[in-house]
Each structure stands twice: as C-alpha cells, then as structure tokens.
Amino acid sequence: MDALYVAEALSTGPGRNGHVRTSDGRIDTAMASPVELGGSGDGLNPELFFAAGYAACYHNALQRVAREQGVAIADTAVGAKVGLDRRPEGGFTLQVELEVVIPDLDPATAQRLADDAHQVCPYSNATRGNIPVTIRVVED
C-alpha cells in the first residue's frame, strides 16, 4: 500500500461482539452490538468509530477550506450521526448526517464552507455515491 499514512487494526472474536486493537495499541477495546440490534451494548461498535472518525476528518476539512479561502472561523464543531439500516435486497447499509456549527458566520458563507469541506474530506470522498450523507449547518 502506497499511502501518506496507514492505520492498522485487527478484529478478533465474533465480529461485533469481539475485540479490536490497533497495531500501535492506542485502541484496544471490547466490541458489543448495540441494544437496538439485540446486543448488550456493553462495548463499542463499528458505527461509533465511524461517527467519531467522520466527525474529526470532516472538521479538519472544514478548517482547511476556511483557511484556504481566507475565512476566519473559531469555535467550530461537527457532529456526526451514523445510522445502520437494512437494505431491501438484503444486508445492511449506512447513512450519515453531519451537523456543522460555525458561530458568527453568515449562513450562506457557512453553507459554502460546509459544501466545500464535503468535496475534500476523505470520508466524504469514500462514501460519495455509496451512502446518503446529509450536511446541515446549524445555529450555535
């Protein structure tokens, strides 16, 4: 793999109810299906990791595009909701809603930055055309 950075993780045990550990040991945790899927909810699940990763990655992209466009932003926040649903033809699919908070910025500029960030975020690029992603700019 030729990449700027490579993260490695290993899942052992019965998948959603097993264990995950990254090669550097920074993540080393039990997994558990959420109660909504019939699990105990006593551990983490893949959707939590995906939501955290997407929120952080998109937030970085937002700050980057603002800096490149010369728009001063401060105290920004990005929330990510990741939903798991059944596909009519079988299996499962994800859906994402990103909530973007950019205080003290006019709504049109905030929306433009949010849309531009969606074009450069690696998570957005990976999911585009595969799962629905809704981006909402919300008031502080």
Side-chain angles (χ1 to χ4, degrees), residues 71-121:
V71 178
I73 58 174
D75 300 322
T76 58
V78 173
K81 297 178 184 177
V82 174
L84 179 69
D85 206 358
R86 291 189 189 280
R87 294 175 55 198
E89 61 273 15
F92 296 88
T93 189
L94 297 173
Q95 55 189 317
V96 174
E97 182 178 308
L98 298 175
E99 291 184 347
V100 180
V101 178
I102 308 174
D104 304 320
L105 194 62
D106 68 274
T109 303
Q111 188 63 58
R112 186 188 79 237
L113 291 176
D115 293 341
D116 290 350
H118 188 50
Q119 296 305 309
V120 299
C121 171

Side-chain angles (χ1 to χ4, degrees), residues 16-129:
R16 285 184 167 271
N17 295 300
H19 193 93
V20 294
R21 183 179 190 286
T22 57
S23 59
D24 61 9
R26 291 182 183 172
I27 298 174
D28 189 350
T29 191
M31 302 293 284
S33 290
V35 173
E36 296 85 350
L37 297 179
S40 68
D42 291 337
L44 301 177
N45 62 67
E47 292 73 32
L48 289 171
F49 282 110
F50 194 81
Y54 205 153
C57 187
Y58 181 89
H59 197 188
N60 189 72
L62 179 69
Q63 292 171 339
R64 177 182 176 179
V65 298
R67 188 172 50 253
E68 288 174 350
Q69 294 179 23
V71 178
I73 58 174
D75 300 322
T76 58
V78 173
K81 297 178 184 177
V82 174
L84 179 69
D85 206 358
R86 291 189 189 280
R87 294 175 55 198
E89 61 273 15
F92 296 88
T93 189
L94 297 173
Q95 55 189 317
V96 174
E97 182 178 308
L98 298 175
E99 291 184 347
V100 180
V101 178
I102 308 174
D104 304 320
L105 194 62
D106 68 274
T109 303
Q111 188 63 58
R112 186 188 79 237
L113 291 176
D115 293 341
D116 290 350
H118 188 50
Q119 296 305 309
V120 299
C121 171
Y123 275 69
S124 293
N125 288 332
T127 59
R128 187 172 293 111

